[in-house]
Amino acid sequence: QVQLVESGGGLVQPGGSLRLSCAASGNIFSIYAMGWYRQTPGKQRELVAIITINGGTNYADFVKGRFTISRDNAKNTVYLQMNSLKPEDTAVYYCHAVKTTGYDYWGPGTQVTVSS
């Protein structure tokens, strides 16, 4: 089992920044990629950004140029730096990890609210 714990969510004004963190623990061997998804009520969960063990990244078009995903392998932690936040970025953000075996894991989520 892999445990994922997100932190760093909160309330921020439009144009502001937040940094989310996701710490992985447990049987973290063979984790190939970690990423962030988000979900709002009534909508499907959507990919925000993903980073592989080799450092390769992929972003949703709606965050390109504003969000940056990074990872600290020594701390088993993935970060999402979110800049120029917009009200439409308001969502619950979930950390996700996938192993080379195909097994995947989710964190409980952290709320991000962008509002003046």
Side-chain angles (χ1 to χ4, degrees):
Q1 286 291 335
V2 174
Q3 292 78 46
L4 302 174
V5 179
E6 304 101 337
S7 61
L11 173 64
V12 64
Q13 292 187 342
S17 299
L18 282 176
R19 189 176 82 153
L20 304 183
S21 300
C22 173
S25 62
N27 187 8
I28 61 173
F29 296 105
S30 301
I31 289 179
Y32 172 72
M34 293 182 68
W36 292 93
Y37 288 71
R38 71 186 188 185
Q39 189 170 23
T40 55
K43 293 187 177 181
Q44 287 189 330
R45 195 170 295 187
E46 59 184 0
L47 173 69
V48 176
I50 190 169
I51 186 167
T52 68
I53 191 68
N54 298 318
T57 59
N58 190 33
Y59 295 91
D61 287 342
F62 53 78
V63 302
K64 285 182 179 178
R66 299 189 298 125
F67 292 9
T68 302
I69 190 169
S70 60
R71 64 189 297 164
D72 184 333
N73 290 333
K75 295 182 178 179
N76 301 315
T77 299
V78 172
Y79 306 96
L80 185 68
Q81 178 66 44
M82 305 186 294
N83 299 327
S84 302
L85 283 161
K86 305 175 182 180
E88 51 264 44
D89 294 318
T90 296
V92 178
Y93 284 71
Y94 295 91
C95 182
H96 179 252
V98 59
K99 290 196 170 186
T100 54
T101 57
Y103 286 102
D104 67 332
Y105 306 87
W106 293 93
T110 184
Q111 176 71 45
V112 171
T113 302
V114 185
S115 176
S116 56

